[in-house]
Amino acid sequence: MTAPPGKRATPPLAGGANGPTALRPLLDTVLDALTTGAEARRGPLPAGGPDAVTARVHAALGDAGVLPAHGTGDHEALRTLVHTLAAGAADPADPLCAAHLHCPPLAVAAAADLAASVLNPSLDSWDQAPAASAVEALLTRTLAAEFYDTPHPDALVTTGGTEANQLALLLARERHGPALTVLHGANAHHSVPRAAWLLGLPPATELPTPTGVLDPARLAEALATTPGPTLVTATAGTTDAGLIDPIHRIADLCDHYGADLHIDAAYGGLLALSPRHRDKLAGLGRAHSLTVDLHKLGWQPVAAGLLAVPDTGLLAPLAHQADYLNATDDTEAGLPDLLGRSLRTTRRPDALKIATTLRALGRDGLAALIDRTVDTAHHLARLLEAHPGFELHAPPTLTTVLFRPTHADDDQLATLRRTLLHQGRAVLGRTHADGRLWLKATLLNPHTTAGDLDTLIALLEGSTHR
């Protein structure tokens, strides 16, 4: 239908019978802009630093900015903003972008995520997400069974490790009351003590981890002297070094002292799908709850997290009733009650991209990606260990490699990292260990080659000699 003279046509919708027709040319524009943006960037991130990137964004948008008096049209807006975003991105698909637990998403996952955006179901009531709620229920129970050999394991989809850790502490508080004490290692993710604060619990007790992992002897001392109910949080894949706490020994102590155990396996949890590496997680199923992220070693677009539990009954404290979403008579009549599956109300179907990826790759395909990425980290470690210009901190446990130039002090190392960032040549992380500053390469790109690692070392070697 043609719009009357003087009236603007109503923009097309992404869904419905005509949605795909409207989307197709727009997607061509998006894909072209992603291509030109990557070409303009010419590296793992844009050169020039924050001021230069901000200036380029402002220049691209011009005086009109993001809210002009008169719209520029779909194609111009997409072409300008997507190109600008891609040209100014830290692209995790570039092998030299290896600072954080920030994975390059698989194409199949991103494509599935488009479908979720188009259909826009919200998983707070069944009548908004009939099929999506069924897919999520199937996915969560399937993945929970990978960690727990129990009759009724279950999991909640979360936005990531922070939300999952907060939910774990909330569930423990509801089991034991507000006097619950949380014990965690200094290696734990910052979201653990923060969650205790948010939930009004006593301040979490941090135990030193001089070797990088939770020491059972120190934990035993703390458990023996901590009155009242206690939750121990262990880590399977630390943020800084990818280390795994001694899970079985920690679980034994929790059993002995009657403490609950939560394991933050946001980074390392997916090793459970690898026959070669799952032994590193022995004892994981002894936890009362587990955090697992699939936007790390699962190659999903953000966000894709899980909180897994050994029995669905443990999730009962999250039950909530709002008549417009889960009226009692509707629930009694058989409509699924979704409101207790999250503390969020409006909630997108992140399960779709995960389920699509798992079905596309299968267990063996995902295990192959995990194994390849871990192998790449070990290869980089061997190169660094053999190179006289670098010092390797330790062989990697997961896919994180800590190292430093042999003759650089901490200030020089920090300056080197920032110089590479400003030049747009490499993105490496930084962390402290053993009283010194180390560069951190977090390898999550399964397409990284031995040649890419040689390039990284040559780049660093050249930069340290300037």
Side-chain angles (χ1 to χ4, degrees):
M1 179 183 293
T2 303
K7 288 192 175 182
R8 178 172 296 195
T10 302
L13 299 175
N18 297 322
T21 300
L23 273 173
R24 198 173 302 277
L26 297 178
L27 292 180
D28 285 340
T29 298
V30 167
L31 296 175
D32 288 345
L34 286 171
T35 300
T36 60
E39 291 170 348
R41 187 182 64 245
R42 294 180 298 182
L45 81 167
D51 291 343
V53 172
T54 299
R56 287 195 286 269
V57 169
H58 283 282
L61 295 177
D63 293 337
V66 295
L67 185 60
H70 303 286
T72 62
D74 296 349
H75 290 278
E76 190 283 334
L78 284 169
R79 189 164 47 248
T80 298
L81 280 161
V82 174
H83 172 95
T84 302
L85 188 69
D91 185 0
D94 189 296
L96 299 188
C97 187
H100 302 286
L101 288 166
H102 177 201
C103 75
L106 296 171
V108 67
D113 216 23
L114 170 63
S117 294
V118 166
L119 296 169
N120 209 29
S122 180
L123 283 142
D124 50 309
S125 66
W126 182 87
D127 58 353
Q128 298 175 79
S133 62
V135 169
E136 181 180 87
L138 179 60
L139 173 78
T140 51
R141 290 166 190 156
T142 297
L143 285 177
E146 293 295 322
F147 308 109
Y148 291 110
D149 185 15
T150 52
H152 304 291
D154 204 351
L156 302 177
V157 176
T158 71
T159 53
T162 295
E163 182 188 354
N165 287 338
Q166 290 173 352
L167 284 171
L169 267 65
L170 172 62
L171 292 173
R173 186 193 71 180
E174 295 307 292
R175 288 195 297 272
H176 299 291
L180 178 74
T181 296
V182 177
L183 301 179
H184 67 87
N187 62 349
H189 193 262
H190 64 84
S191 61
V192 172
R194 194 177 191 207
W197 167 70
L198 284 169
L199 294 167
L201 297 172
T205 299
E206 178 181 299
L207 304 178
T209 53
T211 64
V213 296
L214 194 54
D215 179 5
R218 291 178 183 265
L219 177 60
E221 292 173 2
L223 286 169
T225 57
T226 300
T230 307
L231 174 71
V232 174
T233 66
T235 306
T238 59
T239 303
D240 282 344
L243 302 178
I244 297 173
D245 287 338
I247 296 172
H248 266 311
R249 295 172 66 191
I250 292 171
D252 287 343
L253 287 170
C254 289
D255 289 346
H256 179 74
Y257 287 97
D260 283 6
L261 174 61
H262 169 66
I263 299 178
D264 179 356
Y267 182 7
L270 264 291
L271 261 65
L273 298 182
S274 166
R276 280 179 52 193
H277 295 291
R278 66 166 64 107
D279 286 350
K280 295 177 182 178
L281 300 177
L284 203 66
R286 299 178 65 183
H288 288 80
S289 54
L290 292 171
T291 290
V292 180
D293 276 359
L294 289 101
H295 54 232
K296 294 182 173 66
L297 279 174
W299 296 282
Q300 298 300 295
V302 173
L306 289 177
L307 176 72
V309 293
D311 188 272
T312 191
L314 292 169
L315 302 175
L318 299 179
H320 185 65
Q321 207 273 326
D323 201 54
Y324 78 103
L325 294 173
N326 59 347
T328 302
D329 58 319
D330 277 348
T331 302
E332 292 173 350
L335 293 185
D337 180 355
L338 305 181
L339 205 53
R341 303 293 297 177
S342 177
L343 293 183
R344 293 172 284 151
T345 303
T346 302
R347 188 163 60 86
R348 74 191 307 274
D350 289 313
L352 176 63
K353 62 195 176 191
I354 301 170
T356 302
T357 301
L358 297 183
R359 182 173 174 85
L361 271 65
R363 187 187 304 274
D364 59 344
L366 195 58
L369 290 183
I370 293 168
D371 293 348
R372 185 179 308 156
T373 309
V374 174
D375 287 347
T376 301
H378 280 275
H379 182 71
L380 175 60
R382 289 192 295 270
L383 291 177
L384 291 165
E385 190 171 34
H387 196 298
F390 297 97
E391 178 184 352
L392 177 70
H393 181 263
T397 300
L398 296 177
T399 66
T400 299
V401 182
L402 303 186
F403 65 99
R404 54 181 292 137
T406 305
H407 300 296
D409 61 27
D410 284 1
D411 288 340
Q412 291 169 330
L413 186 148
T415 299
L416 166 64
R417 175 180 173 273
R418 287 191 294 269
T419 298
L420 293 173
L421 290 176
H422 277 263
Q423 293 173 344
R425 303 171 79 190
V427 190
L428 293 170
R430 53 179 283 174
T431 189
H432 281 89
D434 301 332
R436 292 193 292 168
L437 188 64
W438 299 79
L439 291 174
K440 176 173 68 170
T442 308
L443 301 177
L444 292 177
N445 187 341
H447 287 271
T448 298
T449 66
D452 294 324
L453 300 180
D454 291 338
T455 298
L456 175 61
I457 289 177
L459 173 63
L460 290 165
E461 185 179 27
S463 298
T464 59
H465 288 126
R466 289 185 175 184

